[in-house]
């Protein structure tokens, strides 16, 4: 999936979208199905499902089958820990420092040639 | 003041402090590592590397641009850099966050880097309360806010 292939941390990318943040806020009040989540938005169920997919891949929600419907729940771990942003920034810097490390290695290799 | 989030990361690089320091201050180097991982993406970097100078880093990926900017508060080669950091694409409110990078020489020509990013918004205020967001988004006055209001 294109959305998944991008290098920026998934949690960060997931939180960067206002619709997705609003969906998370709704789920804080309790679980909901796609139809309920789509209500406040002027968008198709398919579009909302796509947002839910991004949130699920980022580990922010999980979807569970309840009989014939699938309900979305907020995943406690990334959000309950006081700060989702803090966690998102941690991954962001972790990735950047990995990139810095490989930049320094490449530079050294070039020098040694 | 409400408590703000802070993160702290430590890394040891197989390079001298001078080399690591340079990678933080040089636009060409920053463009290499201050961008998302996969090779199709890139970053545009403008840097005025002096105290009071500003930087702007725009990371490009196929979906959108992610811009961040800030100002250098402290530069002490090759030991320490302190800068303000604003990610323009997330609602951090009016509080500028702060990043400090400290470099210490280690045995074998290596460098220990300690990165502290503080002043981060607490997640609850941003994820938990839609009213809080509305205020923040209104304050932002940027693309996010206008998009939301016209929706």
């Amino acid at each position: 999936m294109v959305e998944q292939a991008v290098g920026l941390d998934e949690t960060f990318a997931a939180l960067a979208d206002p619709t997705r943040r609003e969906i998370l806020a709704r789920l804080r009040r309790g679980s909901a199905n796609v139809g309920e989540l789509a209500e406040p938005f002027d968008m198709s169920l398919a579009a909302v499902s796509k947002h839910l997919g991004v949130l699920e891949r980022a580990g922010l929600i999980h979807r569970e089958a309840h009989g014939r419907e699938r309900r979305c729940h907020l995943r406690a771990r990334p959000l309950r820990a006081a700060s989702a942003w803090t966690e998102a920034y941690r991954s962001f810097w972790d990735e950047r420092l990995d990139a810095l490390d490989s930049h320094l290695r490449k530079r050294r290799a070039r020098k040694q040639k | 003041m409400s408590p703000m989030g802070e993160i702290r990361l430590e890394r040891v690089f197989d390079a001298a402090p001078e080399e690591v320091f340079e990678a933080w201050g040089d636009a060409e180097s920053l463009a290499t590592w201050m961008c998302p991982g996969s090779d199709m993406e890139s970053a545009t970097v403008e840097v005025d590397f002096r105290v009071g100078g500003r930087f702007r880093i725009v990371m490009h990926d196929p979906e959108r641009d992610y811009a961040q900017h800030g100002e250098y508060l402290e530069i002490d080669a090759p030991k320490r850099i302190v800068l303000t950091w604003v990610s323009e694409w997330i609602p951090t409110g009016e509080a500028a966050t702060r990043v400090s990078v400290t470099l210490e020489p280690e045995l074998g020509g290596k460098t220990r880097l300690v990165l502290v990013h503080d002043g981060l918004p607490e997640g609850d205020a941003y994820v938990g309360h839609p009213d809080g967001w509305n205020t923040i988004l209104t304050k932002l006055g940027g693309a996010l806010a206008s998009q939301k209001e016209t929706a």
Side-chain angles (χ1 to χ4, degrees):
Chain A
M1 272 215 159
V2 178
E3 206 144 5
Q4 181 128 11
V6 303
L8 268 177
D9 172 70
E10 279 174 49
T11 313
F12 233 156
L15 290 169
D17 183 279
T19 302
R20 292 197 283 270
R21 291 197 303 268
E22 217 156 304
I23 290 173
L24 291 175
R26 164 64 187 80
L27 288 175
R28 254 189 113 78
R29 302 202 306 268
S31 67
N33 63 30
V34 186
E36 289 160 353
L37 290 174
E39 242 166 56
F41 305 107
D42 184 19
M43 55 173 82
S44 65
L45 286 183
V48 172
S49 289
K50 199 176 162 222
H51 284 304
L52 295 176
V54 175
L55 289 169
E56 190 168 48
R57 284 195 296 279
L60 294 166
I61 65 166
H62 69 202
R63 286 187 274 191
E64 229 172 27
H66 285 258
R68 279 170 54 205
E69 65 163 9
R70 290 180 84 197
R71 293 193 75 77
C72 302
H73 303 260
L74 198 60
R75 280 194 62 179
R77 194 189 52 80
L79 289 177
R80 192 184 290 155
S83 180
W85 291 117
T86 305
E87 283 315 304
Y89 262 117
R90 185 185 298 284
S91 317
F92 171 80
W93 284 116
D94 209 42
E95 277 185 24
R96 296 288 73 72
L97 294 180
D98 281 347
L100 172 57
D101 189 51
S102 81
H103 166 72
L104 292 167
R105 280 170 203 278
K106 277 182 203 150
R107 242 180 122 241
R108 170 158 296 202
R110 269 204 308 274
K111 265 194 205 163
Q112 280 168 352
K113 261 180 207 165
Chain B
M1 280 255 300
S2 59
M4 292 302 239
E6 174 186 308
I7 57 172
R8 189 174 190 280
L9 285 102
E10 258 188 67
R11 273 313 162 87
V12 175
F13 296 103
D14 190 6
E18 289 77 9
E19 292 174 81
V20 181
F21 188 87
E22 198 199 310
W24 278 87
D26 173 61
E28 210 179 306
S29 300
L30 282 167
T32 313
W33 65 272
M34 266 286 183
C35 67
S38 102
D39 47 14
M40 64 193 285
E41 292 136 16
S42 61
T44 308
V45 178
E46 292 161 49
V47 168
D48 181 11
F49 193 56
R50 60 187 171 85
V51 173
R54 303 184 65 79
F55 68 89
R56 189 154 194 273
I57 300 169
V58 185
M59 302 167 180
H60 312 288
D61 80 19
E63 281 211 336
R64 64 167 97 187
D65 286 349
Y66 298 84
Q68 18 269 313
H69 69 262
E71 183 182 331
Y72 295 102
L73 301 177
E74 207 180 304
I75 295 178
D76 181 7
K79 284 185 263 180
R80 191 169 153 85
I81 303 167
V82 180
L83 45 90
T84 60
W85 181 277
V86 180
S87 291
E88 295 167 18
W89 42 283
I90 62 167
T92 50
E94 286 167 0
T97 67
R98 191 179 62 166
V99 176
S100 55
V101 177
T102 309
L103 306 174
E104 288 166 33
E106 290 265 306
L107 286 176
K110 299 184 181 194
T111 302
R112 176 178 301 273
L113 178 151
V114 179
L115 183 148
V116 176
H117 193 164
D118 56 18
L120 294 173
E122 290 293 348
D124 256 26
Y126 294 82
V127 179
H129 309 296
D131 292 342
W133 283 346
N134 290 338
T135 314
I136 290 150
L137 289 171
T138 307
K139 275 187 197 164
L140 262 185
L144 281 183
S146 48
Q147 210 181 320
K148 195 181 162 75
E149 274 151 22
T150 53

